[in-house]
């Protein structure tokens, strides 16, 4: 009849520790060098991200004009840029206010007046304030247009707000820009890429 079954160790299975077996070894501790290396890498990464997001600071004691002249000329609306020298000689020289003396809302309205459709011109008449067009870095440019409209996404003025966003995209250019249109009550009405 029979033989008794052989122990598990005979079949190639490892023997399980039981009473009296050696206790399991504690996990190895990480070396301090690895911890400092990881911490240093995280710190450097945060500094790089902060430098990219900040885009450099505007120091009020900075007297150099090296980078400021480039930034001042590149942030004008597309339609409001100066014509070429040949075109300027052919046209009558018109005396306009320098762009630096106008507010961002006035610059936007002037651009739409020059190159916008009639419906865009009517919609832009409701613009009260524009922010975020003076500094661009093509990483994440976020402009805000404030209007005298009321309501949010489902308001009766949502179509006009989309026209304002479209007109903004035709006046300003960015690789990764987002314009948001707000009502007088602070609710977001529309947004669009530019």
């Amino acid at each position: 009849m029979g033989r008794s079954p052989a122990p598990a160790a005979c079949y190639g299975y490892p023997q399980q520790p039981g009473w009296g077996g050696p206790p399991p070894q504690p996990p190895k501790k990480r070396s301090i060098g690895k911890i400092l290396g990881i911490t240093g890498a995280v710190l450097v990464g945060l500094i790089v991200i902060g430098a990219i997001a900040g885009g450099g600071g505007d120091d009020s004691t900075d007297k150099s004009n090296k980078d400021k002249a480039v930034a001042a000329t590149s942030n004008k609306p597309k339609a409001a840029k100066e014509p070429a020298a040949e075109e300027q000689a052919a046209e009558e020289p018109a005396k306009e206010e320098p762009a630096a003396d106008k507010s961002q809302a006035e610059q936007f309205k002037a651009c739409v007046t020059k190159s916008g459709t009639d419906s865009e011109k009517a919609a832009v008449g409701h613009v009260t304030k524009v922010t975020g067009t003076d500094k661009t870095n093509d990483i994440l440019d976020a402009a805000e247009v404030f209007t005298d409209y009321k309501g949010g996404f489902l308001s009766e003025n949502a179509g006009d707000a989309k026209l304002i966003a479209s007109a903004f995209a035709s006046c300003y250019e960015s690789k990764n820009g987002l314009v948001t249109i707000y009502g007088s009550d602070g609710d977001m009405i529309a947004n669009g890429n530019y």
Side-chain angles (χ1 to χ4, degrees), residues 17-27:
W19 296 98
Q25 297 293 322

Side-chain angles (χ1 to χ4, degrees), residues 10-25:
C10 296
Y11 292 109
Y13 296 110
Q15 186 176 8
Q16 298 295 323
W19 296 98
Q25 297 293 322

Side-chain angles (χ1 to χ4, degrees), residues 11-183:
Y11 292 109
Y13 296 110
Q15 186 176 8
Q16 298 295 323
W19 296 98
Q25 297 293 322
K28 290 186 177 182
K29 295 183 181 181
R30 294 186 179 212
S31 67
I32 195 74
K34 285 183 183 179
I35 293 173
L36 289 177
I38 292 172
T39 305
V42 169
L43 182 62
V44 168
L46 290 175
I47 290 172
V48 168
I49 290 172
I52 289 173
D58 288 339
D59 190 8
S60 62
T61 60
D62 185 14
K63 302 293 183 202
S64 68
N65 292 328
K66 180 176 162 187
D67 293 330
K68 293 177 184 169
V70 173
T73 59
S74 64
N75 293 332
K76 289 183 182 178
K78 286 192 285 188
K81 288 185 179 177
E82 295 291 323
E86 301 104 29
E87 294 174 9
Q88 212 170 27
E91 293 180 5
E92 227 175 43
K95 294 288 182 182
E96 287 189 24
E97 245 180 76
D101 294 343
K102 291 183 178 181
S103 71
Q104 293 176 32
E106 291 169 343
Q107 291 175 11
F108 175 51
K109 287 180 180 181
C111 174
V112 173
T113 301
K114 191 180 255 187
S115 64
T117 65
D118 291 336
S119 57
E120 287 175 341
K121 290 175 187 176
V124 170
H126 293 273
V127 171
T128 58
K129 181 180 177 182
V130 177
T131 63
T133 62
D134 54 346
K135 293 183 181 181
T136 59
N137 59 8
D138 286 336
I139 295 174
L140 179 59
D141 298 324
E144 299 174 326
V145 177
F146 298 91
T147 64
D148 58 3
Y149 294 137
K150 294 201 186 272
F153 283 118
L154 301 176
S155 73
E156 62 188 38
N157 299 316
D160 290 336
K162 272 300 203 186
L163 279 173
I164 293 171
S166 173
F168 192 90
S170 65
C171 287
Y172 296 94
E173 188 173 336
S174 173
K175 290 180 183 174
N176 195 18
L178 178 70
V179 60
T180 307
I181 314 302
Y182 293 99

